[in-house]
Amino acid sequence: VAESGARRIRWVADNMMLLGAIAGRFTDEQPFAGKTIGVSIHLEPKTAALLEVLDRGGAQVIATGNLGTTQDDVVVALNESGIRAIGRRDDDPRAHADNLDRVAAEELDLILDNGADLVARRPDVRIIGGTEETTSGANRLRDDLAGHVRFPVIVINDSPLKSIVENQHGVGQSVMESFQRITNLMLPGLRTCVFGYGWCGRGIAQYASRLGARVVVVEPDPIKALEAVMDGFEVREPQDAVDGAKLIVTATGARGVVGPGLVAAIASGAILANAGHFDTEIDVPALDAAAQRREELADGVERLEFAGGHWVRLLTGGRMVNLGGPSPKGNSIEAMDLGFSLQALSLERIATRAGELTVGPQAVPDDINRSLAAMLVAARMAG
Amino acid sequence: VAESGARRIRWVADNMMLLGAIAGRFTDEQPFAGKTIGVSIHLEPKTAALLEVLDRGGAQVIATGNLGTTQDDVVVALNESGIRAIGRRDDDPRAHADNLDRVAAEELDLILDNGADLVARRPDVRIIGGTEETTSGANRLRDDLAGHVRFPVIVINDSPLKSIVENQHGVGQSVMESFQRITNLMLPGLRTCVFGYGWCGRGIAQYASRLGARVVVVEPDPIKALEAVMDGFEVREPQDAVDGAKLIVTATGARGVVGPGLVAAIASGAILANAGHFDTEIDVPALDAAAQRREELADGVERLEFAGGHWVRLLTGGRMVNLGGPSPKGNSIEAMDLGFSLQALSLERIATRAGELTVGPQAVPDDINRSLAAMLVAARMAG
Amino acid sequence: VAESGARRIRWVADNMMLLGAIAGRFTDEQPFAGKTIGVSIHLEPKTAALLEVLDRGGAQVIATGNLGTTQDDVVVALNESGIRAIGRRDDDPRAHADNLDRVAAEELDLILDNGADLVARRPDVRIIGGTEETTSGANRLRDDLAGHVRFPVIVINDSPLKSIVENQHGVGQSVMESFQRITNLMLPGLRTCVFGYGWCGRGIAQYASRLGARVVVVEPDPIKALEAVMDGFEVREPQDAVDGAKLIVTATGARGVVGPGLVAAIASGAILANAGHFDTEIDVPALDAAAQRREELADGVERLEFAGGHWVRLLTGGRMVNLGGPSPKGNSIEAMDLGFSLQALSLERIATRAGELTVGPQAVPDDINRSLAAMLVAARMAG
Amino acid sequence: VAESGARRIRWVADNMMLLGAIAGRFTDEQPFAGKTIGVSIHLEPKTAALLEVLDRGGAQVIATGNLGTTQDDVVVALNESGIRAIGRRDDDPRAHADNLDRVAAEELDLILDNGADLVARRPDVRIIGGTEETTSGANRLRDDLAGHVRFPVIVINDSPLKSIVENQHGVGQSVMESFQRITNLMLPGLRTCVFGYGWCGRGIAQYASRLGARVVVVEPDPIKALEAVMDGFEVREPQDAVDGAKLIVTATGARGVVGPGLVAAIASGAILANAGHFDTEIDVPALDAAAQRREELADGVERLEFAGGHWVRLLTGGRMVNLGGPSPKGNSIEAMDLGFSLQALSLERIATRAGELTVGPQAVPDDINRSLAAMLVAARMAG
C-alpha cells in the first residue's frame, strides 16, 4: 500500500512545476525552520506533495484529512517519509473529530485549514497565522468566529488565479474527461444543458462545446447570461433548456437546481451530473423518494425509474462527477499545483513577514498572485 | 445628402432592438417632457438614432459633435427631423469650440457629455444631471472638476455590459472584419501578434484565432498573460512575439507600444494596425521620422520604408483600424445599441429619479445594467 | 482611371506570393516565348496579376472579360502595360460576343478559357492546348464539344487545392466578412441557417460558428449531413431550420432552394444571402412576383414586403454576396493566388510538355497540385 | 465474472441506438433464420452487442477472438446467453489458431472476418459471403487470396462513414480523453506535436487544439499539410516540430516515425503516445535498446532514460493509447455502434440479396452507407 501511495505522490510531485521550484528554494531558505504547521485537508497524492514541500522548508507537519476522503496508502506513505499524518478513510465522524482535536492540541505555529475546522477549535490560540483553503471556511471566519481570530488568515480560494485555472479550466477539462471516462459516450452532437455560468459553468460549457456538444446554458443572472450569449451559447429557462437534452450538468453553487419537478421534463435516458462542490445541486434524496427503482448500470452510473416508466441516469450519485467512477483523478495536476503553490507561498509569507499582514481573513497578497501567474506562464511556454 | 443621412440613420435604428423598445416606451411615457438635453457626441448614424429616441421621449435636444468626425449628411437629416444639430466635418478647432459654447449656453436640464466637454464649460450650472460616455471624461470629472460638479453624472463606459459586448466582442469582430475589408488578405495560417490582453485585446486574439490565424499575445500583466495562456494562446515578450508576425495589432491603452526599435525586429511586409482608442499606440510620428519613404498602397494602407530597404505596412495611419479604409462601419449596430441604451436609460433615471442618485460621477445603476442585459439576451435568443 | 487600376493590380500582385515566385522563374525561363495566349476571364485586379505573369513568361496575351464584370480601369491599366485587353463593363451581349470572336480569331497557341467560351468558337482549331477555369466549362467540353476538341484542356476547378483553399476557406471567410461589411450587424448569438454542406457550405457554417453565430445546417445528402453533425452543427429539414433564423445563406449549387413557400416560414426581418455561383439559389424572380413592395434599405440590402406585412431582407439581389455591397473584394488574394498559380503552371505544362498530356479535358497534373500545396504551406509558415 | 460481462454488454448495447433499431427489425424479419455465421473479431462488450443482434436476427453464431484481447467475462456472458464464443485471454498462438480452426470447420453460411483469418482458412468454401472488418484483411483478399474467393466479401473499413465518425472523431476524442485519464495533466498551453494529418491525425490535432493545447503538425504529404495549415495549425518538419513539444502523438500508419534519432531532439520529460493501429509507429524496441533504464511511473506510463540523463515518458508501451492505462474504454460507444451497424446491415445484404453483389472484396453498398448516416443524424438530433 505504501509503495502505491508513494508512487502516486511521486507522479504528482514530479509534474508540479511550480511547487517543485518552490521546494527547491524552501530547501535552501528553510522558511519554516523550527515551526510546526497543523494541517486539515483532504489527504490524497496532490495534497501530500504540498505537505512534502512544507517539510522540505523545515516545518514539522502534522496533518489530518476530511471525513471519508482520506486515502490510506497516502497516509502510510507520508508517515514513512517522516510527515505525521493521521486518520483513515473508514473513520466515523467521532474518530474524525478526534483527529482534528489531536492536531489542534499540538503546539502549532501555523495552520493550514480547510473549512476553518482547526481554527474553530482554538480561535484564541496564539499562533503566527494560517491559511484557509475554502470560501465556506472564510465565511465561517467572518461570521461565527468574527472577533475571535487574533492572527492573520490568508484565504486561498479568493485568488483570481484559482478562478481561472482551477475553476474554469480545471473543472471544465476534468468534468468532460470524467463524462467520457465513466460513460464512454460520444460528444459531437450531444445536446448538453449546463446549469450555471459562473467560473465552473463557463468552463464546462466551453469544453463541452469545443468537443462538439450542442450546449444550452441556464443562468438566472442576466449579466452572466449575456456573457454566455456572446460566447455563442444558447441560453434558455430551465424547462426549455432541458427539453431534448441528453446530458445535464449542474455548476451553480445553489441547492436543488434539478429536482423531481424538472426531471419530469427531461427525456428518458438523459444523464444527470453534478460538478458543483456540494452534492445538493441535484436533489438526489427527493429524486430517490420519487423513484420506484434505483439500480447501478455501470461504475458511477445509476438508473432511476419513476412512475410510468420514465427514467434518467445519474452519475456518481450526484457528488462531484470528476471525483467518481472508475479511476477518478479530479482536477489536473497543474491546476492543483497552482492552488497549492498559493498555499505554500502564503504560509511562507505568514511565517516570515507576518508583520505586514492584518489580523483576520484576508486575500492572498497581490505580489504572490502575480509571481505565481508569471511562473505558470513561463512553465506553459517553456520547452 | 439629407436623404442619404436619413436612410443611413433608418438602417441603424431599424436594427437597434433595445433602443427600439425603449423608444416605444418613451413615446408613451414622455420621461423628458419639457426638458432640454445638451449633447456632445460623435454625430453619425448610430448616435443620431439615440438622439431620435430622446426626442421621442419628449426632450428638446441640442447636439454638437466631436472635432473632425461629424457626418454632414447626418446633421442635415437630424435638423430636417426637428432635432437641433450643429457643426460640420470641416469645422476648425475654434469653430468646434464655438459649437460647444452654443450648446452649453442653452437652458439645459440634462447633459449627455463626451470627454466632459460640456460639463467643463459650466460645472456650476444648475441642471438635474448628466451622463458621461468616456472613461477619460470621468477621470476629468474626478480630477480637474472635483468638487465643482453639483449634480449626478452617470459614467457609461464603466458598465460591465460595455466591456463584454462593445470592447471584447464588438471590437474583436470589427477589427478582424476591417483587416479583411481593407487588405483582402487571408486569415488561416496568418501569424498574428496582438499587443494587450484586456477586453479589446482578448476579443481581437479570439476572433483572429477562430478565423484561423496563428496568434501570439504580448501582455505585461502576469494575470492577464495567464488568462491568455489558458485560452490557448502563445504568450511572448515583444521582441520574440513579433518575430515572424505578418500582422501586428495594438490594443493596450498605452503609448508608443510599437516604435522604431521594435519595428526593426519585424519582418519586411508585416502589417501594423491599431485598435486602441488613441492613435499613439503605434508611434507613427517616430516611424515617420525614421522612414525614408512613405506612400499609400491602397485605401487605408501605407508603406513605410526605412534604411536598408526594410519596410512595413501601416493601416489607417495608426488610427483605430475599424474606423478607416474603404466603407468603414465601426462597431456593430447591436454593440452600439447596447451602449446607447445605457445612455437613454441613464438619462431617464436622472430625469425622473434624480433624488436616488448621489452628486458627482457614478456607475450606471445596477438595475439598468441587469435589465438591459436581460433584454439583449432575449433579443439574441428570439426568433 | 488607369492609375487606379494599376495601383489595385499592384496591391494584389504584391500579395500573391505563389504567383510572384512563378513570375520570377517565368522571367528567367520564358516558357511562353513566341506564343500567343487567348484569354477569356473576368477582368479585374486579381486576373490582371495573372495576365502580367503570363506576359513576363514571354507570352503575347490577348484577353477579354465576361459579360458585365469587366473593370474598365483594369483594362486601361493592362493596355498601358502592353497587354491587349478588350471589352468594357457596359458592353451589351452582342458587343461581348464580338470581343470573344476577336480573341478567337487571333493566331492562338494556347487558350485560357472560362465556360469554354473560346474553345466553343473554334473547337477544331490547331492549338497546343488550353485551360478551363470552371466546372460548367468542363461539362460543356465533355458534352456538347465531346469529340471536337483535339488538344489537351486542363480543368482548373477540379483541383483538390481549390476545394480546400478557395471554396471552403476563401468563400467561408469572405461571405462572413461581406455580411458584416454590408449590414454592420453582430454575429454572436445570431441564429444562422446555412443551406448546403459542400465545400462552400461547410466553410460558411464554420466561419459563422467561430464568429459566435448559432448555426443550423440544411443538407439533403445524409453523409454530408452526418459530417455537419460531427462538426458540432445542428442539422434540420428546411422548414425547421429557418424557424427563428435571422440570417439564411444558400450554398448548394441547386436552383430555387429558397422560394416563396419557404420564405413564408421565415420570420420577418430575416436576411437572405446567396453564396453560390449562380444567382438562382434564392428564387428572386418568384419572390419579386410575390412581393407587394421592394425597396433598397442600404447599399446591397433590399426589403421585400409580402401580403400581410411579412417582410424579409435580401442581400446583393441574390447574386454572390461576397461580390456586392459597398467596396466588395471577393475571395481573399491568397485564395485566388493559388487558383491562378494552378492556371499559370498548367499553361506552362501545356506550352512545354504537351506530349505528356492526353487530348480533351483532364485534371491538373498531380505534381503541380503537390508543388503548389508545398509552396503555400511554406508561404503561410514563413516569417 | 459473467454478471460483470453481462452488465458491461448491457451498458454498451443500451447506448447503441443504431444497432438497437436494427435489432428490433431483425427480431421481426429474421434475416439470418437457419443460417450459421462464423465470426473472428475482438471479443469485448461492444462486439458482443453486435453478436447479440445477429443472434436476434435468427443466426447461429460461433465466434472467436483475436490473440490476447479476449475478455473472459464477455465470453462467459455470451455463452450464458446462448451464443457460442470460444477462446480466452491467455490463449497462446497455438490455442488461438485452434480456435480459428474450430470456427472455420463449422458448416458456415456467412463469415464476419477480421484480417481474413477465417477466409484464409477456407477460401474455396461454399458460403454465401462475408464481411471483412479491416483494410489489411481486404488487402490480403486482394493479394494472397486473389482468385480464390468465390463469394462476395464486403469490406467495412472502407466506408466513408467510418473515416468520419470512427477515425476522425472517435479517435480524436478518445486519444485526448486517454491522455487525461492516464496522466491527469492539463491541456491549455501544452505544446503538442501530432505526426500525421490523415483522418486520425486531424481528429487528434483538432481535439487537442480545442482543449487548449498549442498544436504543431508533421505531415509529409503536401496536400494534407495544406489542409492542416488552413485549419489553423502550425506545420513543421519533424526536428522543428518536436522542439519544445511536451506531448508527441503518432497517427501516421507508417513505421518507426519516432525513433532514437528524433527522441534525441525531444526535451526531457516529454510524453510519447501512439494512436495508430500498429505499435510500430514509435520504435519502442530501438528506444529500449538505446535506453539505460526503463521504469514504470504510473499505470500506463514508463520512463526511458538515455545516456547523459536525457529521458522521455512513453504511454501504454507504444500500443494504441486509447486502449491502455487505467480503465481503458477505446472509441466511444456510438462510434462503434456505427461501425457494427455497417457489419450487421452488410451481413443482412449478403444473407438476403447476395445476387446483387459481385464476387470478391467490395465496398459497403452505398444505400447502406446513406441509410446509416441518416439514422445517425436523426439519433444525434433527436431529443
Side-chain angles (χ1 to χ4, degrees), chain A residues 7 11 14-15 46 165 169 173-174 177 180-191 207 209-212 214 243-246 267 271 296-299 301 313 326-327 329-335 376 379-383, chain D residues 7 11 14-15 46 165 169 173-174 177 180-191 207 209-212 214 243-246 267 271 296-299 301 313 326-327 329-335 376 379-383:
Chain A
R7 194 176 80 163
W11 173 256
D14 285 348
N15 285 288
K46 287 166 190 159
V165 176
H169 290 281
Q173 175 178 314
S174 71
E177 180 269 322
Q180 298 169 67
R181 176 174 46 77
I182 295 170
T183 68
N184 197 208
L185 294 178
M186 182 169 88
L187 288 165
L190 188 80
R191 182 69 168 175
Y207 280 78
S209 171
R210 293 192 166 192
L211 289 163
R214 293 180 296 122
D243 183 29
K246 293 184 175 166
I271 293 172
E296 190 181 52
L297 298 179
D299 185 358
V301 190
R313 297 184 279 192
S327 310
K329 293 281 177 34
N331 279 347
S332 67
I333 291 171
E334 294 96 329
L376 185 49
R380 300 310 284 176
M381 291 301 114
Chain D
R7 194 175 81 162
W11 173 256
D14 285 348
N15 284 289
K46 288 166 189 158
V165 176
H169 291 280
Q173 175 179 315
S174 71
E177 179 268 325
Q180 296 169 68
R181 177 174 46 78
I182 296 170
T183 68
N184 197 210
L185 295 176
M186 182 170 87
L187 289 165
L190 188 80
R191 182 68 169 175
Y207 279 79
S209 170
R210 293 190 165 194
L211 289 162
R214 294 181 295 122
D243 183 28
K246 292 183 176 167
I271 294 173
E296 190 181 52
L297 298 180
D299 185 358
V301 191
R313 296 184 280 192
S327 310
K329 291 281 176 32
N331 279 348
S332 68
I333 291 172
E334 295 96 327
L376 185 48
R380 301 308 284 174
M381 290 300 114

Side-chain angles (χ1 to χ4, degrees), chain D residues 111-339:
Chain D
I111 285 176
L112 189 170
D113 213 350
N114 191 357
D117 278 343
L118 289 177
V119 169
R121 275 171 166 74
R122 296 181 60 193
D124 303 323
V125 73
R126 286 178 173 250
I127 63 167
I128 307 172
T131 58
E132 167 57 44
E133 178 72 9
T134 67
T135 300
S136 53
N139 290 340
R140 204 172 164 194
L141 292 174
R142 290 187 187 103
D143 300 339
D144 303 355
L145 300 170
H148 292 280
V149 178
R150 306 287 172 83
F151 45 83
V153 180
I154 295 178
V155 180
I156 303 299
N157 202 49
D158 296 350
S159 163
L161 302 192
K162 282 201 68 165
S163 302
I164 300 163
V165 176
E166 197 173 314
N167 298 352
Q168 179 180 353
H169 291 280
V171 170
Q173 175 179 315
S174 71
V175 165
M176 294 318 297
E177 179 268 325
S178 295
F179 170 75
Q180 296 169 68
R181 177 174 46 78
I182 296 170
T183 68
N184 197 210
L185 295 176
M186 182 170 87
L187 289 165
L190 188 80
R191 182 68 169 175
T192 301
C193 174
V194 178
F195 280 81
Y197 205 72
W199 287 104
C200 290
R202 74 186 56 193
I204 295 163
Q206 172 188 325
Y207 279 79
S209 170
R210 293 190 165 194
L211 289 162
R214 294 181 295 122
V215 174
V216 55
V217 168
V218 178
E219 171 57 63
D221 179 87
I223 294 175
K224 288 180 184 170
L226 178 57
E227 289 185 271
V229 166
M230 297 304 294
D231 290 342
F233 295 110
E234 199 173 330
V235 174
R236 300 286 174 205
E237 296 297 311
Q239 292 281 340
D240 289 340
V242 301
D243 183 28
K246 292 183 176 167
L247 171 62
I248 293 160
V249 186
T250 54
T252 63
R255 297 173 66 91
V257 171
V258 176
L262 195 64
V263 164
I266 296 175
S268 273
I271 294 173
L272 313 183
N274 170 47
H277 185 75
F278 297 106
D279 64 358
T280 53
E281 302 208 12
I282 300 171
D283 189 350
V284 177
L287 293 181
D288 208 27
Q292 294 182 330
R293 200 174 154 199
R294 180 173 178 174
E295 65 175 321
E296 190 181 52
L297 298 180
D299 185 358
V301 191
E302 288 169 291
R303 182 184 199 278
L304 278 77
E305 184 174 327
F306 305 96
H310 182 59
W311 59 286
V312 295
R313 296 184 280 192
L314 176 67
L315 299 192
T316 64
R319 291 176 298 280
M320 284 183 75
V321 69
N322 59 357
L323 294 179
S327 310
K329 291 281 176 32
N331 279 348
S332 68
I333 291 172
E334 295 96 327
M336 303 312 292
D337 184 23
L338 181 75

Side-chain angles (χ1 to χ4, degrees), chain A residues 53-66:
Chain A
V53 171
L54 302 179
D55 177 76
R56 288 180 60 182
Q60 294 291 328
V61 174
I62 173 162
T64 192
N66 291 156

Side-chain angles (χ1 to χ4, degrees), chain C residues 294-310:
Chain C
R294 181 172 178 173
E295 64 176 322
E296 190 181 51
L297 298 180
D299 185 358
V301 190
E302 287 168 292
R303 183 183 198 277
L304 278 79
E305 185 174 325
F306 305 96
H310 183 58

